[in-house]
Amino acid sequence: MKRLNLILVILGFLVYSMGIAQERGTIKIPDIPGYKTLKGDFHMHTVFSDGQVWPTVRVEEAYKEGLDVISITDHIENRKYFNILFSVPGSTEKPNIIPDHNMSYEMAKELAETRDIILIKGGEITRNMPPGHHNAIFLTDINPLATPEWKDAFREAKKQDAFMFWNHPGWKRQQPDTTLWWEEHTWLYDNGMMQGIEVFNGGEYYPEAHQWAIDKNLTFIANTDVHGPICLHATGEKRLRPMTLVFAKERSVEGVREALFDRRTLAFFDNKLAGNSKFMDAVFFGSISVEAVDVVDGGFQIILRNSSDIPFELSKASGNHPELEFFGKMVLPADQQTLIKVYTNNPSKFKKIDLKLMVDNLLVAPGKGLPVVLGVATGK
């Protein structure tokens, strides 16, 4: 056991040391009018609960991948690796140590400042369903949340003006058949102890949570819930990690806090966005530019550039001008130019063309894409 403890410590420092040489990553998602677009992950674990890396590694991962803000939310009730780290060699008894639940934050905060990563103190209230698992962030002291009665844990978080959200509401281990909203969640919601909900968690999308976020005006959240190294996290080839896009007035802890409570977020996962249409509209049009328009025989050739890291899946909507013909479906790849052909027998008739589209991977509701009108001046 002593050897295992030593190995864990050595591995943590090895990964930390390798991260020192890494350059900061960049995620190309535009700012929107009036706000900075901050990329955040508010649900992750370390060896101080049931994660497999040192707290500083979470900071290095965020730096390397281009995040702006993170919260390490170790389980309050599940201290699996903490118990191993502080076990007594040769003893079969659990360590008689009262854990400081602020420890992972304290270990990571100096490096976060050095790396210019906004680090928010948080913890995960880990209970059976109902009410299930919930994160509380912007805490001043996590320790008072370690209480036998689950309602008392939430009350303690509320005393600290925490932002609280429901984690993985459709997690099969807790809701194997149907994703339900329980009476306990109504109690939390009515008493100001649930401000947000994870629409995406790790590799899962919860359409029921998506609809609840709309109906109950909850903040849209997406997180990795990562336990191992992020490089082993299954995000898919050439895909960004799950994250919450936060539209903040300033790049600071208080800026993130104000934005989350004001519900200015989008949930990002698997090249999809979910949330308020006005924010998705701003991200889409902040990413797309018309670089050239040429009149050719039979219509127009338009070159669009998508300057973001989000590919946009487009389909033709209803209501387009009957004399304009164009694609049924297409993808605007991330950070690339795309040629679009619009056919018409009378191009000189059009000084401007409006293409009515659906952006199918920007979800305004479960299964419903964002309607947009792409206006293009033809120069005629």
mmCIF file of all heavy atoms in Angstrom, residues 244-267:
data_model
loop_
_atom_site.group_PDB
_atom_site.id
_atom_site.type_symbol
_atom_site.label_atom_id
_atom_site.label_comp_id
_atom_site.label_asym_id
_atom_site.label_seq_id
_atom_site.Cartn_x
_atom_site.Cartn_y
_atom_site.Cartn_z
ATOM 1 N N THR A 244 -18.897 24.261 -21.143
ATOM 2 C CA THR A 244 -19.926 25.285 -21.040
ATOM 3 C C THR A 244 -19.354 26.582 -21.588
ATOM 4 O O THR A 244 -18.299 27.032 -21.130
ATOM 5 C CB THR A 244 -20.361 25.483 -19.581
ATOM 6 O OG1 THR A 244 -20.820 24.237 -19.043
ATOM 7 C CG2 THR A 244 -21.478 26.504 -19.477
ATOM 8 N N LEU A 245 -20.033 27.158 -22.571
ATOM 9 C CA LEU A 245 -19.645 28.478 -23.059
ATOM 10 C C LEU A 245 -20.331 29.520 -22.182
ATOM 11 O O LEU A 245 -21.561 29.535 -22.059
ATOM 12 C CB LEU A 245 -20.057 28.661 -24.518
ATOM 13 C CG LEU A 245 -19.528 27.639 -25.520
ATOM 14 C CD1 LEU A 245 -19.921 28.035 -26.942
ATOM 15 C CD2 LEU A 245 -18.019 27.466 -25.411
ATOM 16 N N VAL A 246 -19.533 30.370 -21.565
ATOM 17 C CA VAL A 246 -20.032 31.375 -20.629
ATOM 18 C C VAL A 246 -19.837 32.747 -21.261
ATOM 19 O O VAL A 246 -18.718 33.103 -21.653
ATOM 20 C CB VAL A 246 -19.279 31.300 -19.289
ATOM 21 C CG1 VAL A 246 -19.804 32.349 -18.314
ATOM 22 C CG2 VAL A 246 -19.386 29.898 -18.686
ATOM 23 N N PHE A 247 -20.905 33.508 -21.360
ATOM 24 C CA PHE A 247 -20.843 34.840 -21.961
ATOM 25 C C PHE A 247 -20.771 35.871 -20.835
ATOM 26 O O PHE A 247 -21.789 36.254 -20.243
ATOM 27 C CB PHE A 247 -22.035 35.056 -22.881
ATOM 28 C CG PHE A 247 -22.129 33.984 -23.938
ATOM 29 C CD1 PHE A 247 -23.111 32.998 -23.882
ATOM 30 C CD2 PHE A 247 -21.194 33.921 -24.953
ATOM 31 C CE1 PHE A 247 -23.171 31.994 -24.831
ATOM 32 C CE2 PHE A 247 -21.236 32.920 -25.913
ATOM 33 C CZ PHE A 247 -22.231 31.952 -25.850
ATOM 34 N N ALA A 248 -19.538 36.281 -20.539
ATOM 35 C CA ALA A 248 -19.258 37.086 -19.355
ATOM 36 C C ALA A 248 -18.924 38.518 -19.735
ATOM 37 O O ALA A 248 -18.346 38.792 -20.782
ATOM 38 C CB ALA A 248 -18.089 36.471 -18.577
ATOM 39 N N LYS A 249 -19.276 39.430 -18.836
ATOM 40 C CA LYS A 249 -18.933 40.830 -19.044
ATOM 41 C C LYS A 249 -17.450 41.071 -18.831
ATOM 42 O O LYS A 249 -16.884 42.020 -19.381
ATOM 43 C CB LYS A 249 -19.744 41.709 -18.088
ATOM 44 C CG LYS A 249 -21.242 41.681 -18.359
ATOM 45 C CD LYS A 249 -22.009 42.525 -17.338
ATOM 46 C CE LYS A 249 -23.495 42.475 -17.589
ATOM 47 N NZ LYS A 249 -24.261 43.249 -16.563
ATOM 48 N N GLU A 250 -16.823 40.224 -18.015
ATOM 49 C CA GLU A 250 -15.387 40.345 -17.777
ATOM 50 C C GLU A 250 -14.820 38.967 -17.497
ATOM 51 O O GLU A 250 -15.522 38.052 -17.070
ATOM 52 C CB GLU A 250 -15.096 41.274 -16.598
ATOM 53 C CG GLU A 250 -15.684 40.788 -15.277
ATOM 54 C CD GLU A 250 -15.367 41.712 -14.117
ATOM 55 O OE1 GLU A 250 -15.391 42.937 -14.318
ATOM 56 O OE2 GLU A 250 -15.082 41.197 -13.014
ATOM 57 N N ARG A 251 -13.511 38.814 -17.747
ATOM 58 C CA ARG A 251 -12.843 37.534 -17.554
ATOM 59 C C ARG A 251 -12.331 37.461 -16.112
ATOM 60 O O ARG A 251 -11.188 37.794 -15.818
ATOM 61 C CB ARG A 251 -11.692 37.382 -18.546
ATOM 62 C CG ARG A 251 -11.129 35.967 -18.627
ATOM 63 C CD ARG A 251 -9.955 35.896 -19.600
ATOM 64 N NE ARG A 251 -9.493 34.526 -19.771
ATOM 65 C CZ ARG A 251 -8.708 33.877 -18.924
ATOM 66 N NH1 ARG A 251 -8.280 34.500 -17.810
ATOM 67 N NH2 ARG A 251 -8.332 32.632 -19.171
ATOM 68 N N SER A 252 -13.212 37.039 -15.217
ATOM 69 C CA SER A 252 -12.890 36.967 -13.794
ATOM 70 C C SER A 252 -13.854 35.997 -13.124
ATOM 71 O O SER A 252 -14.863 35.587 -13.717
ATOM 72 C CB SER A 252 -13.019 38.349 -13.135
ATOM 73 O OG SER A 252 -14.378 38.773 -13.147
ATOM 74 N N VAL A 253 -13.540 35.632 -11.876
ATOM 75 C CA VAL A 253 -14.445 34.772 -11.119
ATOM 76 C C VAL A 253 -15.815 35.422 -11.012
ATOM 77 O O VAL A 253 -16.849 34.783 -11.240
ATOM 78 C CB VAL A 253 -13.874 34.488 -9.711
ATOM 79 C CG1 VAL A 253 -14.911 33.775 -8.847
ATOM 80 C CG2 VAL A 253 -12.614 33.637 -9.807
ATOM 81 N N GLU A 254 -15.833 36.701 -10.695
ATOM 82 C CA GLU A 254 -17.111 37.385 -10.541
ATOM 83 C C GLU A 254 -17.835 37.494 -11.875
ATOM 84 O O GLU A 254 -19.064 37.411 -11.930
ATOM 85 C CB GLU A 254 -16.903 38.778 -9.936
ATOM 86 C CG GLU A 254 -18.194 39.498 -9.591
ATOM 87 C CD GLU A 254 -19.153 38.668 -8.743
ATOM 88 O OE1 GLU A 254 -18.690 37.998 -7.794
ATOM 89 O OE2 GLU A 254 -20.369 38.679 -9.027
ATOM 90 N N GLY A 255 -17.084 37.672 -12.962
ATOM 91 C CA GLY A 255 -17.705 37.716 -14.280
ATOM 92 C C GLY A 255 -18.373 36.406 -14.639
ATOM 93 O O GLY A 255 -19.480 36.390 -15.197
ATOM 94 N N VAL A 256 -17.722 35.290 -14.313
ATOM 95 C CA VAL A 256 -18.303 33.965 -14.569
ATOM 96 C C VAL A 256 -19.527 33.754 -13.693
ATOM 97 O O VAL A 256 -20.568 33.270 -14.146
ATOM 98 C CB VAL A 256 -17.259 32.859 -14.326
ATOM 99 C CG1 VAL A 256 -17.894 31.472 -14.466
ATOM 100 C CG2 VAL A 256 -16.089 33.002 -15.288
ATOM 101 N N ARG A 257 -19.403 34.114 -12.440
ATOM 102 C CA ARG A 257 -20.516 33.944 -11.500
ATOM 103 C C ARG A 257 -21.759 34.707 -11.964
ATOM 104 O O ARG A 257 -22.864 34.150 -12.020
ATOM 105 C CB ARG A 257 -20.088 34.433 -10.114
ATOM 106 C CG ARG A 257 -21.186 34.398 -9.076
ATOM 107 C CD ARG A 257 -20.731 35.070 -7.784
ATOM 108 N NE ARG A 257 -21.846 35.177 -6.865
ATOM 109 C CZ ARG A 257 -22.236 34.209 -6.047
ATOM 110 N NH1 ARG A 257 -21.597 33.057 -6.034
ATOM 111 N NH2 ARG A 257 -23.263 34.373 -5.253
ATOM 112 N N GLU A 258 -21.581 35.968 -12.322
ATOM 113 C CA GLU A 258 -22.714 36.794 -12.749
ATOM 114 C C GLU A 258 -23.364 36.210 -13.999
ATOM 115 O O GLU A 258 -24.599 36.174 -14.113
ATOM 116 C CB GLU A 258 -22.227 38.223 -13.007
ATOM 117 C CG GLU A 258 -23.325 39.227 -13.284
ATOM 118 C CD GLU A 258 -23.691 39.344 -14.752
ATOM 119 O OE1 GLU A 258 -22.839 39.012 -15.606
ATOM 120 O OE2 GLU A 258 -24.828 39.741 -15.062
ATOM 121 N N ALA A 259 -22.546 35.719 -14.930
ATOM 122 C CA ALA A 259 -23.083 35.143 -16.170
ATOM 123 C C ALA A 259 -23.857 33.860 -15.916
ATOM 124 O O ALA A 259 -24.927 33.640 -16.497
ATOM 125 C CB ALA A 259 -21.944 34.893 -17.154
ATOM 126 N N LEU A 260 -23.351 33.000 -15.037
ATOM 127 C CA LEU A 260 -24.042 31.741 -14.747
ATOM 128 C C LEU A 260 -25.391 31.998 -14.081
ATOM 129 O O LEU A 260 -26.404 31.382 -14.442
ATOM 130 C CB LEU A 260 -23.182 30.845 -13.862
ATOM 131 C CG LEU A 260 -21.945 30.212 -14.516
ATOM 132 C CD1 LEU A 260 -21.167 29.403 -13.492
ATOM 133 C CD2 LEU A 260 -22.329 29.335 -15.692
ATOM 134 N N PHE A 261 -25.418 32.896 -13.118
ATOM 135 C CA PHE A 261 -26.690 33.197 -12.456
ATOM 136 C C PHE A 261 -27.666 33.898 -13.407
ATOM 137 O O PHE A 261 -28.880 33.773 -13.255
ATOM 138 C CB PHE A 261 -26.458 34.049 -11.208
ATOM 139 C CG PHE A 261 -26.177 33.252 -9.968
ATOM 140 C CD1 PHE A 261 -24.875 33.087 -9.509
ATOM 141 C CD2 PHE A 261 -27.204 32.647 -9.260
ATOM 142 C CE1 PHE A 261 -24.605 32.349 -8.364
ATOM 143 C CE2 PHE A 261 -26.947 31.899 -8.121
ATOM 144 C CZ PHE A 261 -25.643 31.747 -7.673
ATOM 145 N N ASP A 262 -27.131 34.607 -14.400
ATOM 146 C CA ASP A 262 -27.987 35.289 -15.375
ATOM 147 C C ASP A 262 -28.309 34.394 -16.571
ATOM 148 O O ASP A 262 -28.917 34.851 -17.535
ATOM 149 C CB ASP A 262 -27.312 36.574 -15.867
ATOM 150 C CG ASP A 262 -28.301 37.551 -16.478
ATOM 151 O OD1 ASP A 262 -29.429 37.689 -15.948
ATOM 152 O OD2 ASP A 262 -27.962 38.181 -17.505
ATOM 153 N N ARG A 263 -27.870 33.128 -16.531
ATOM 154 C CA ARG A 263 -28.196 32.110 -17.530
ATOM 155 C C ARG A 263 -27.636 32.445 -18.916
ATOM 156 O O ARG A 263 -28.210 32.064 -19.929
ATOM 157 C CB ARG A 263 -29.714 31.882 -17.599
ATOM 158 C CG ARG A 263 -30.333 31.453 -16.276
ATOM 159 C CD ARG A 263 -31.837 31.336 -16.343
ATOM 160 N NE ARG A 263 -32.476 32.617 -16.632
ATOM 161 C CZ ARG A 263 -32.697 33.576 -15.733
ATOM 162 N NH1 ARG A 263 -32.309 33.419 -14.485
ATOM 163 N NH2 ARG A 263 -33.287 34.694 -16.095
ATOM 164 N N ARG A 264 -26.482 33.093 -18.954
ATOM 165 C CA ARG A 264 -25.845 33.422 -20.234
ATOM 166 C C ARG A 264 -24.811 32.350 -20.575
ATOM 167 O O ARG A 264 -23.598 32.547 -20.449
ATOM 168 C CB ARG A 264 -25.209 34.808 -20.189
ATOM 169 C CG ARG A 264 -26.208 35.943 -19.990
ATOM 170 C CD ARG A 264 -25.612 37.297 -20.368
ATOM 171 N NE ARG A 264 -24.336 37.543 -19.747
ATOM 172 C CZ ARG A 264 -24.161 38.136 -18.561
ATOM 173 N NH1 ARG A 264 -25.222 38.510 -17.852
ATOM 174 N NH2 ARG A 264 -22.963 38.341 -18.085
ATOM 175 N N THR A 265 -25.300 31.199 -20.985
ATOM 176 C CA THR A 265 -24.428 30.085 -21.331
ATOM 177 C C THR A 265 -24.991 29.336 -22.528
ATOM 178 O O THR A 265 -26.167 29.453 -22.873
ATOM 179 C CB THR A 265 -24.299 29.078 -20.172
ATOM 180 O OG1 THR A 265 -25.573 28.443 -19.953
ATOM 181 C CG2 THR A 265 -23.817 29.726 -18.889
ATOM 182 N N LEU A 266 -24.116 28.529 -23.131
ATOM 183 C CA LEU A 266 -24.523 27.480 -24.059
ATOM 184 C C LEU A 266 -23.810 26.205 -23.644
ATOM 185 O O LEU A 266 -22.666 26.239 -23.173
ATOM 186 C CB LEU A 266 -24.155 27.832 -25.503
ATOM 187 C CG LEU A 266 -24.916 28.991 -26.159
ATOM 188 C CD1 LEU A 266 -24.329 29.296 -27.525
ATOM 189 C CD2 LEU A 266 -26.402 28.677 -26.276
ATOM 190 N N ALA A 267 -24.469 25.081 -23.828
ATOM 191 C CA ALA A 267 -23.870 23.779 -23.541
ATOM 192 C C ALA A 267 -23.300 23.216 -24.839
ATOM 193 O O ALA A 267 -23.999 23.133 -25.847
ATOM 194 C CB ALA A 267 -24.913 22.828 -22.961
#
